[in-house]
Amino acid sequence: MNYLQLAFEQSLFSVGISRPNPAVGAVVVKDGIVVGKGRTQRPGNAHAEVMALRDAGELARGAAIYVTLEPCCHYGRTPPCTKAIIEAGIKEVYFAHADPNPLVRGKSRSILEEAGIKVFEGEEACERAVADTGWDDSCSHDGCKVLSGNPAAMAGEPETRAEAIAEARMLFHEIERFFEAYDFYVRNKATFVEIKSAISQEGYMGAVVSGAKGTVRNAPLKITAQGANCWNHELRAMSDAILVGAGTVLADNPLLDVRLAQGNNPVKIIWAGHHEFSADEVATLRVFQAPVEEGKAPLVFTCVPQPALDKLNAGEAPAAENFAIEVVALSNASFVANWHEMHANLSARGMHRLMVEPGARLAAEIFKCGLWNRLDLWQSSDPAVDRALESSGADGLAYPEFPTALVARESFMLGPDVLTVYSR
């Protein structure tokens, strides 16, 4: 096992709860046993370290604490976590990611070390967080200790300590990626925008179906396999909010929740644009009918009035108990100006990461607008996807033209699907 992996799992349940504070997880370990777990609570309440120390109680004395982010060392809404760590009698501190906040970065380590506490950070902390008890490099049976990492991202379980160290380095990079949005928010006071798309081997992202009287409509196309789908749900769990356009809502009728990974559901955002949702659409679309979690009312950004949604909020239309939706009017003449207004709205709410799953039209507009940070593009290598599209008689919906000056940062294959990560 890797204790920082356990801390990272805790942090995922703090996403959307702790904002604008970072989502942090922590575990306290004594004599190889996890005696305390914690994650950052709502603003003004305890941070992850304090929650884990409370959970450990007196067992924290002489123990080690593993934290995903550098502990804070200044007074804000709560006292410094470094103070709580010192007073609890912790002997060793391991944190995976350095806080970009200038009030914290590097200062926490000095404070802890001056108190006689050993401190390890970054990749070294992740490697040292591998549990040593029970390791036997010659052992190949199921009794060996392994990392509890995401099975979808791992080729298999490690059988030796060397393999566990390699996965510890993978964990470090996963935590770095997790905090990239927080780092961006701290430095820019703006939400990090991450786009996720999937295309077939021939470059199609959906189907175009012809209807009666010459009408056409977009239809979903099953492109990625289970591994990629799990990865996508993990990204949802890492995100404060998930945004789709009205076209995607009408074509796919998605739930936009986290089902294939652990973590909280993101806030659901609908980019209505100039589409007015009818009463029938509001009554049948799942995004408008699913129960709402506390503090996570769906947001609809719209350029036109939405009377059917107003009736839903007023209790004049069928909905789940205590359902509420926030309609935000956009009054600018251009998509670019409206997208910037929406982005400023989410930034002011303290959202660190916005995940966007756009259809073809919305993706093209966002690419032209330029206000986005990362593109995660899945491409299937399975020719059966395109064969199924061809046999259905529908036309393929092509992915929009890529924006210029893209940089491919990484690429890997998961089952039949290849993920390429681009940045601007």
Side-chain angles (χ1 to χ4, degrees):
M1 99 173 33
N2 187 300
Y3 299 125
L4 275 170
Q5 174 70 44
L6 300 181
F8 183 49
E9 291 168 3
Q10 287 290 310
S11 70
L12 292 174
F13 289 97
S14 190
V15 176
I17 303 297
S18 63
R19 69 170 182 264
N21 295 331
V24 181
V27 296
V28 177
V29 178
K30 189 168 188 177
D31 299 327
I33 299 172
V34 176
V35 295
K37 297 180 181 180
R39 53 181 178 263
T40 301
Q41 304 298 297
R42 297 187 184 278
N45 294 294
H47 291 184
E49 299 92 325
V50 173
M51 294 297 293
L53 292 171
R54 288 177 182 173
D55 192 32
E58 283 301 313
L59 291 175
R61 193 158 300 279
I65 189 167
Y66 297 80
V67 192
T68 53
L69 184 69
E70 183 176 1
C72 68
C73 58
H74 64 289
Y75 281 87
R77 294 178 178 176
T78 60
C81 288
T82 49
K83 182 175 183 291
I85 290 170
I86 293 169
E87 291 178 348
I90 290 290
K91 295 300 184 184
E92 295 179 349
V93 173
Y94 301 77
F95 66 86
H97 185 75
D99 196 323
N101 187 339
L103 295 174
V104 178
R105 188 162 191 143
K107 298 177 182 178
S108 295
R109 178 166 192 160
S110 298
I111 292 171
L112 293 170
E113 288 179 335
E114 287 174 5
I117 297 174
K118 290 183 179 180
V119 181
F120 305 93
E121 66 176 283
E123 190 170 323
E124 180 188 16
C126 290
E127 292 178 9
R128 287 178 174 267
V130 175
D132 287 324
T133 306
W135 280 102
D136 180 356
D137 283 355
S138 64
C139 179
S140 60
H141 59 74
D142 291 338
C144 291
K145 290 185 177 290
V146 298
L147 288 172
S148 56
N150 166 20
M154 305 295 183
E157 295 182 341
E159 296 180 350
T160 68
R161 178 169 175 78
E163 291 174 349
I165 292 297
E167 290 193 356
R169 292 168 183 165
M170 291 175 60
L171 171 63
F172 168 70
H173 291 295
E174 186 177 3
I175 295 175
E176 288 285 286
R177 192 183 193 284
F178 174 74
F179 281 116
E180 185 174 16
Y182 167 66
D183 293 354
F184 182 84
Y185 183 85
V186 169
R187 294 177 177 128
N188 301 280
K189 296 297 183 286
T191 302
F192 186 93
V193 179
E194 186 157 4
I195 301 170
K196 191 281 296 183
S197 296
I199 58 176
S200 71
Q201 194 174 48
E202 298 297 324
Y204 296 117
M205 64 182 304
V208 181
V209 180
S210 299
K213 299 179 181 179
T215 60
V216 296
R217 63 179 178 85
N218 294 341
L221 177 66
K222 181 175 173 53
I223 297 175
T224 52
Q226 185 71 359
N229 295 338
C230 289
W231 188 97
N232 296 335
H233 279 243
E234 289 172 356
L235 181 57
R236 289 184 182 185
M238 290 168 55
S239 304
D240 292 276
I242 179 172
L243 182 148
V244 296
T248 296
V249 172
L250 296 172
D252 297 0
N253 196 9
L255 274 171
L256 302 179
D257 59 3
V258 175
R259 302 182 300 279
L260 304 178
Q262 61 178 357
N264 293 322
N265 291 318
V267 173
K268 303 170 185 179
I269 301 179
I270 310 303
W271 182 267
H274 289 86
H275 177 80
E276 178 188 332
F277 288 102
S278 68
D280 287 343
E281 289 169 347
V282 170
T284 56
L285 293 172
R286 296 190 293 178
V287 71
F288 296 135
Q289 296 296 323
V292 176
E293 300 173 40
E294 181 183 357
K296 293 187 177 181
L299 301 172
V300 175
F301 288 89
T302 179
C303 300
V304 296
Q306 298 288 348
L309 293 178
D310 294 337
K311 288 184 178 180
L312 192 71
N313 279 334
E316 300 173 10
E321 186 177 356
N322 298 323
F323 186 89
I325 191 165
E326 185 176 347
V327 179
V328 182
L330 301 169
S331 57
N332 302 289
S334 69
F335 174 88
V336 173
N338 284 324
W339 187 259
H340 276 264
E341 182 179 343
M342 181 274 298
H343 184 258
N345 183 297
L346 301 185
S347 299
R349 296 171 188 262
M351 292 189 177
H352 298 166
R353 187 191 307 271
L354 170 66
M355 179 183 179
V356 184
E357 295 188 8
R361 183 182 301 176
L362 181 57
E365 292 285 1
I366 296 172
F367 287 159
K368 287 188 291 185
C369 171
L371 185 52
W372 58 277
N373 300 91
R374 186 200 299 276
L375 168 63
D376 304 315
L377 183 65
W378 287 97
Q379 183 163 23
S380 174
S381 65
D382 185 356
V385 176
D386 289 298
R387 286 200 298 267
L389 176 64
E390 183 178 358
S391 64
S392 71
D395 294 326
L397 179 64
Y399 196 70
E401 184 179 351
F402 272 24
T404 58
L406 277 188
V407 177
R409 297 183 56 181
E410 59 181 314
S411 183
F412 67 86
M413 192 165 191
L414 191 56
D417 305 310
V418 178
L419 173 66
T420 304
V421 179
Y422 297 93
S423 61
R424 295 177 55 238

